[in-house]
Amino acid sequence: MHWTRFVSVVAMLCAAATAASGATLYVNAATGNDATPRASNSAASPWKTLGRAAWGSTSRERPDRAEAAQPGDVVVVAAGTYDQAAQGKARNQPLYNPVNNGTAEEPITFRAEGRVELRSSTYEGPVIGTFQRSFIVWDGFYIDEQYVHYTPDTGPVVVWDSNHVTVQNLEISGTYAPYVDNHTGIRLEAADDVLVRNNLVYGFGITRGGRQERSRNSTCIQLYYSNRIVIEHNEIRECGSGVFVKDTRQGITMEDITIRLNLIYDMGKGPGPSASGIILQSVTRARVYQNVIRDSDVGIEIEATDRPLERPVDVIVANNTLYELTDGAFRLRGAVPNWEKIRIVNNLTDRSVVLWGEDVPAPGDVAFEHNNYAGVPGRRFAYLKNVEYSFGDWRKTFKNDGAKPASTTSDPRFVDARARDLRPCQGEARPADGCRSASPVLELGVDVLDLDGDGVETNPIPAGAYLTGDEIVGRVPVQR
């Protein structure tokens, strides 16, 4: 199946809630009554707590499937603050884990109307998501982790041992966690066919006395052992890593991961460990495209370990815009650089060292082509195993960036770099009044992912995240 067609199918499956034909159920902390039977629930007679909708009762330990949300139901939660006393501790089971599954035709949707803040003052573990559930949608909630009783190696939103789940339109604010284990905004583990879309996730860098230590395990979005995942249109900032496609284990692979149209910024740029926008560690067939990563330490990191499955294979990193990255637009990392079939094409970097590889003397099976590298500081186009390379030295030594159209170091002529409008100008006053002439990068790329949808993968397209200038990179306004 063609790649863009595959991700469209996943998105349609995960977003099927819009076509659901079940009941609309209502929750309102101010006016609700949990004693109301399911059959009598209405906008005028809502439940009081979210647990009543998810569990079918007010007790997480004594659920009632018949009274809980059913396949096809949409649970509309009114604006307000919701906290629910519940005992227990688990890193893989959310407080509000639904007791029922949805179906492909009729998922179960939990949807916030207005500002709905979820807290968890007694239960130790995630707040929302799924554990061993399928066809569930969580849409539009706000979680501030300072009001969450969290536990190590998890986060406030998890999708665990589940499939066909959508997590969208959330705002997740992290806080300091007093441990070095994983501390994650959204975590997927053993999860297949999941859509993570249009979320704002921030603040999972570790802060101690004003110093950000930013362990990369303090991650905005983290993946373990998951397949056919789409991560799109998220806004991510102030974490130890933005999207971390992490470990796998013997006999289990992590395949078909799409990371596209995300805005990632303010990752590091200070004391402490280097912070990366995207880390690809254990994955087969990843496509990373049309993301903007700016004002951070590292843009996109390719990493391999000495364990057999912990390496990237068949990865295309295309049409990303990477701006002002102090340690490198790209990073290669691994004592055993055994990655395979890595293509880095059509990207646009500016005001950044292009490649950092402190562990590796050569790029190995990584092909760089059709990229534009502007504002490279001095000789430091690349830094590999204590050796600095200029752009010319890099091309001559490693035979990269020479395929036609050959990579360049032109000024991309952004609309307004100071205001972080990183769209290349397409002509006078296009796509904005500040443009005087067309950028030289408009036909530098080769459309290897058929991003323009014309069925041709060899035609010229612009380098960078913006093909038309009309794309929204980051969150899309929500229409209710």
Side-chain angles (χ1 to χ4, degrees):
M1 180 181 288
H2 190 276
W3 188 265
T4 54
R5 195 174 303 122
F6 156 71
V7 295
S8 297
V9 168
V10 172
M12 285 190 295
L13 286 172
C14 294
T18 57
S21 58
T24 300
L25 304 171
Y26 297 88
V27 176
N28 190 314
T31 66
N33 183 350
D34 284 342
T36 301
R38 171 191 160 83
S40 301
N41 182 285
S42 67
S45 299
W47 290 321
K48 186 175 182 64
T49 65
L50 180 55
R52 176 66 178 82
W55 314 324
S57 79
T58 57
S59 171
R60 190 172 183 273
E61 291 73 31
R62 294 186 297 277
D64 184 342
R65 294 181 182 276
E67 279 289 307
Q70 305 290 316
D73 287 353
V74 177
V75 178
V76 178
V77 185
T81 300
Y82 294 79
D83 195 354
Q84 198 145 0
Q87 301 306 312
K89 177 179 179 178
R91 65 190 186 91
N92 57 358
Q93 299 183 39
L95 169 61
Y96 294 111
N97 192 40
V99 296
N100 291 320
N101 293 305
T103 68
E105 296 77 21
E106 295 190 313
I108 299 172
T109 299
F110 297 89
R111 189 177 73 206
E113 289 290 323
R115 184 76 156 184
V116 178
E117 180 176 352
L118 302 182
R119 298 182 176 183
S120 175
S121 58
T122 57
Y123 181 77
E124 295 185 55
V127 181
I128 61 173
T130 59
F131 175 68
Q132 296 182 343
R133 297 290 180 264
S134 58
F135 297 103
I136 304 292
V137 178
W138 286 99
D139 183 1
F141 296 90
Y142 169 65
I143 301 173
D144 184 341
E145 215 185 18
Q146 67 176 320
Y147 301 112
V148 172
H149 198 174
Y150 50 78
T151 194
D153 201 15
T154 188
V157 179
V158 302
V159 179
W160 208 298
D161 195 13
S162 299
N163 62 78
H164 295 96
V165 174
T166 296
V167 176
Q168 64 184 16
N169 304 321
L170 307 180
E171 180 178 344
I172 307 170
S173 174
T175 189
Y176 167 71
Y179 47 79
V180 296
D181 209 337
N182 292 319
H183 177 219
T184 307
I186 299 173
R187 176 163 170 164
L188 312 183
E189 181 152 346
D192 294 338
D193 302 291
V194 174
L195 176 61
V196 179
R197 174 176 60 191
N198 223 51
N199 303 289
L200 171 60
V201 188
Y202 56 93
F204 286 85
I206 297 175
T207 303
R208 205 176 263 142
R211 174 187 172 89
Q212 287 191 318
E213 297 188 358
R214 290 186 316 278
S215 162
R216 66 205 210 128
N217 289 326
S218 294
T219 307
C220 284
I221 301 173
Q222 187 177 64
L223 279 65
Y224 280 86
Y225 327 136
S226 298
N227 302 284
R228 299 178 301 281
I229 307 299
V230 176
I231 299 171
E232 66 179 14
H233 283 294
N234 300 283
E235 182 177 336
I236 295 168
R237 58 181 169 83
E238 299 166 6
C239 294
S241 53
V243 179
F244 193 173
V245 183
K246 201 178 178 184
D247 294 343
T248 186
R249 58 189 178 193
Q250 193 64 39
I252 299 177
T253 58
M254 190 142 50
E255 301 180 344
D256 299 321
I257 309 299
T258 299
I259 304 169
R260 63 182 180 184
L261 294 163
N262 301 285
L263 173 60
I264 303 173
Y265 60 102
D266 289 350
M267 313 294 292
K269 295 196 75 173
S274 185
S276 298
I278 297 172
I279 304 176
L280 303 174
Q281 186 180 76
S282 304
V283 63
T284 299
R285 291 186 305 279
R287 303 294 182 259
V288 179
Y289 60 92
Q290 288 188 277
N291 302 283
V292 171
I293 306 175
R294 60 172 176 80
D295 301 293
S296 299
D297 290 336
V298 176
I300 298 171
E301 181 174 326
I302 305 293
E303 178 179 356
T305 76
D306 57 358
R307 288 180 282 188
L309 293 178
E310 290 191 0
R311 60 183 186 133
V313 177
D314 188 7
V315 173
I316 298 179
V317 176
N319 289 93
N320 301 281
T321 295
L322 309 166
Y323 183 81
E324 199 152 310
L325 303 165
T326 55
D327 291 340
F330 303 100
R331 184 183 189 186
L332 300 179
R333 186 178 185 187
V336 181
N338 58 348
W339 42 72
E340 292 184 17
K341 294 174 61 180
I342 312 297
R343 299 180 67 187
I344 297 179
V345 298
N346 308 344
N347 299 285
L348 196 165
T349 79
D350 194 4
R351 297 174 62 86
S352 307
V353 174
V354 174
L355 179 62
W356 176 28
E358 73 273 33
D359 301 324
V360 298
D365 195 8
V366 181
F368 290 77
E369 304 294 353
H370 322 306
N371 302 293
N372 188 79
Y373 311 115
V376 178
R379 277 188 52 83
R380 295 197 63 178
F381 173 87
Y383 180 79
L384 300 175
K385 199 74 171 183
N386 300 318
V387 178
E388 293 183 348
Y389 296 88
S390 68
F391 183 47
D393 292 339
W394 159 262
R395 291 181 61 179
K396 181 179 179 180
T397 303
F398 300 111
K399 312 305 180 193
N400 269 291
D401 286 307
K404 294 183 179 180
S407 299
T408 63
T409 57
S410 302
D411 179 354
R413 297 181 198 165
F414 292 128
V415 170
D416 189 344
R418 287 188 178 182
R420 298 305 189 252
D421 186 341
L422 301 179
R423 294 175 294 170
C425 289
Q426 298 181 353
E428 186 173 358
R430 292 188 295 118
D433 290 341
C435 291
R436 297 290 177 265
S437 59
S439 168
V441 307
L442 298 184
E443 292 192 343
L444 178 61
V446 176
D447 195 5
V448 297
L449 294 177
D450 189 20
L451 298 181
D452 62 12
D454 64 0
V456 180
E457 298 181 2
T458 57
N459 54 307
I461 59 171
Y466 297 97
L467 305 187
T468 67
D470 296 328
E471 297 92 343
I472 297 177
V473 178
R475 289 184 298 162
V476 178
V478 178
Q479 301 295 325
R480 294 293 191 200

